[in-house]
Amino acid sequence: MKTPRAIQALVVTLIISGCAHYPVNPPLAKSAVREGYRFSTVPPRTNSAQMLTILTFSGGGMRASAVAYGVLEELARTQLGRGADQRRFLDDVDVISAVSGGSFTAAYYALYGDRLFTDFESKFLKRDISGALMLQLLMPRNWARLAAPAYNRSDLAADYYDSRLFGHCTFADLMRDGSRPFLMINATDVGLGSHFEFTQDQFDLIGSDLSKFHIARAVAASSAFAPLLPPILLKNYANTNSSPDMASLFSNMATWDASGGKTNRSTEQRPDAELQQRPFIHLLDGGQADNLALRGFLTPVIEHCSFWDTLGQLYLLPIRRVVVIIVDAHTDGEESLDDRERTPGPLRLIRAASGVSVDLYSSDTLQLFRQNAQRAIHQIQSKRAEAAAKVSTGPNSAPVEAQLYLVELHLHNLSDQSDRRFFNSVPTTLSLPSKTVDRLRRISAGDLQKNEVFQQLLRDLNGPEEPATKPRRPSAPK
């Protein structure tokens, strides 16, 4: 007797749903603090200006992705140096730290370089990503996978990004070309309420190997906005038999890495009985912990340790200029509850409450960063003055040069009233009209070009007699 096709389909569906599982992050085979994808093992880009350049891209859905893209376009148009030494400003970028919507643009550029300017628009910026993800949910082949307890909508989104955008690349692919900027994708560790960065330094703490982890899953975690997208899960190996000697690893960190922030984070996830209570790490939208993508890279180093010693550990003592370009794509009043008497719905209430907390936390983060960054510069100046005093005490001694250029682009506060109204009206979604994307690109590029600190930096680097930029081109740089 033949089995009815409906029963056969049901059996196949149950089998598939039982097999569906998110890709488990692999354990770390050995504890080696000088290996893996971390800033100390990726050589910084060399430049004659002795400059460390850091970009940070905030969250904000496709709006943030387009704004970050516009900034990269402007940096590619901006020229430094003269004659044979002339180069693009973009080629001097050492680090890109990004969160949520900004992480798509950052990861694509870190992985593919200038290919960003040829196909990122068609693959992402001007594609209906929200609709594409919805279509994935409606496909019968995915119903069984989503019915499995160890596979969710964020895993499905990660698979889509993996095949359509990031080519199944892992963090090991970022280490194959030393000319690329160092990438930091940031998420939020729900269990600790703290930021989680996709670097081997962070993965050391959970005994896992980042090199085999797919970039698409990191981006999916960074942009997983609850409740629409559930957390991305990581397995925590820090207190299992498969992990390396974690006590030895933490000891190596303390002796080799001058970053006190690393030690502080190790105490949050220390390998003892308390850690057994969280064998898994749940990661959500990084904007919940740090929407400016600032804390993960510099704040722990600047706040808790000797910045001078850290520069020495990273072979950056010749650095004389530290440039930080903060690209803030959040909007004002997107989720206000005070414009109507009616009780808001649950989704609107969640988004409004989240937006208020993110804004307040971002303001505190920025203020803390400004204070500690200035303290770091003063420390560099002091250390260089001490070194100079040992070799020369004459009146013609060269001045000790160490300067911070903090370029803040807060696009919700644009000077042009029309642009400001437009920008603050753009929703946080993964789908925007092409004309909206193009205007966002122009607005962010123009805001960078007009920024006084950025222009001062260009004058200091190029000299007042030379134009800061080439004539603007209508098309993206090739």
Side-chain angles (χ1 to χ4, degrees), residues 119-432:
D119 61 13
F120 188 64
E121 287 184 66
S122 60
K123 284 190 172 184
F124 185 76
L125 283 181
K126 295 184 177 180
R127 183 177 290 272
D128 183 4
I129 301 299
S130 296
L133 294 179
M134 181 61 67
L135 184 61
Q136 294 294 311
L137 291 174
L138 296 177
M139 288 183 177
R141 69 183 184 188
N142 290 325
W143 295 349
R145 301 167 73 193
L146 292 170
Y151 191 90
N152 61 39
R153 296 186 302 278
S154 289
D155 298 315
L156 187 63
D159 288 343
Y160 177 82
Y161 304 149
D162 209 15
S163 61
R164 302 298 179 90
L165 196 61
F166 296 111
H168 305 284
C169 290
T170 67
F171 279 85
D173 292 296
L174 294 175
M175 301 185 67
R176 293 175 183 169
D177 184 355
S179 67
R180 295 188 179 118
F182 183 75
L183 172 68
M184 288 184 59
I185 298 175
N186 301 276
T188 298
D189 183 334
V190 180
L192 296 177
S194 62
H195 87 277
F196 183 101
E197 64 194 44
F198 284 88
T199 64
Q200 189 56 55
D201 290 322
Q202 181 83 63
F203 267 53
D204 283 342
L205 303 178
I206 61 173
S208 186
D209 184 358
L210 179 65
S211 67
K212 300 176 183 178
F213 196 84
H214 283 230
I215 294 171
R217 285 190 65 78
V219 173
S222 183
S223 57
F225 186 80
L228 299 178
L229 292 170
I232 289 284
L233 263 64
L234 297 181
K235 190 171 181 180
N236 190 348
Y237 299 97
N239 201 31
T240 67
N241 292 332
S242 61
S243 70
D245 182 359
M246 298 303 292
S248 173
L249 178 63
F250 292 149
S251 176
N252 289 339
M253 284 181 182
T255 56
W256 175 79
D257 192 343
S259 170
K262 206 74 65 191
T263 304
N264 290 346
R265 280 191 291 159
S266 71
T267 61
E268 292 177 345
Q269 303 187 37
R270 57 186 180 275
D272 58 12
E274 180 181 336
L275 189 57
Q276 294 177 349
Q277 303 303 315
R278 57 189 319 253
F280 298 96
I281 309 296
H282 293 73
L283 301 177
L284 278 175
D285 189 334
Q288 303 302 308
D290 177 20
N291 197 48
L292 295 179
L294 278 172
R295 289 181 177 265
F297 178 69
L298 282 182
T299 303
V301 176
I302 296 174
E303 185 177 10
H304 299 295
C305 74
S306 167
F307 191 68
W308 179 259
D309 290 343
T310 302
L311 288 178
Q313 294 285 0
L314 301 177
Y315 307 104
L316 295 177
L317 286 180
I319 293 298
R320 295 183 179 276
R321 292 181 176 92
V322 178
V323 181
V324 182
I325 302 177
I326 300 171
V327 184
D328 178 10
H330 97 277
T331 58
D332 278 342
E334 180 185 6
E335 293 295 334
S336 174
L337 301 180
D338 304 327
D339 55 356
R340 65 188 68 180
E341 184 179 18
R342 187 174 57 190
T343 301
L347 181 58
R348 191 163 184 254
L349 185 62
I350 291 173
R351 294 181 66 177
S354 173
V356 170
S357 62
V358 166
D359 290 348
L360 291 175
Y361 195 63
S362 294
S363 178
D364 290 343
T365 297
L366 186 56
Q367 184 62 28
L368 181 65
F369 181 83
R370 289 168 180 160
Q371 295 171 353
N372 289 320
Q374 288 294 345
R375 190 175 72 183
I377 293 299
H378 293 157
Q379 186 180 86
I380 295 174
Q381 292 172 335
S382 176
K383 292 292 184 179
R384 288 217 170 101
E386 292 176 7
K390 295 179 180 179
V391 297
S392 176
T393 57
N396 296 323
S397 299
V400 178
E401 183 184 9
Q403 191 167 355
L404 170 70
Y405 297 84
L406 187 54
V407 180
E408 299 183 32
L409 305 180
H410 302 291
L411 288 110
H412 66 282
N413 197 27
L414 291 163
S415 57
D416 183 275
Q417 186 176 3
S418 175
D419 285 343
R420 185 171 65 252
R421 281 200 304 265
F422 164 78
F423 183 84
N424 285 309
S425 70
V426 179
T428 302
T429 178
L430 284 179
S431 177
L432 292 175

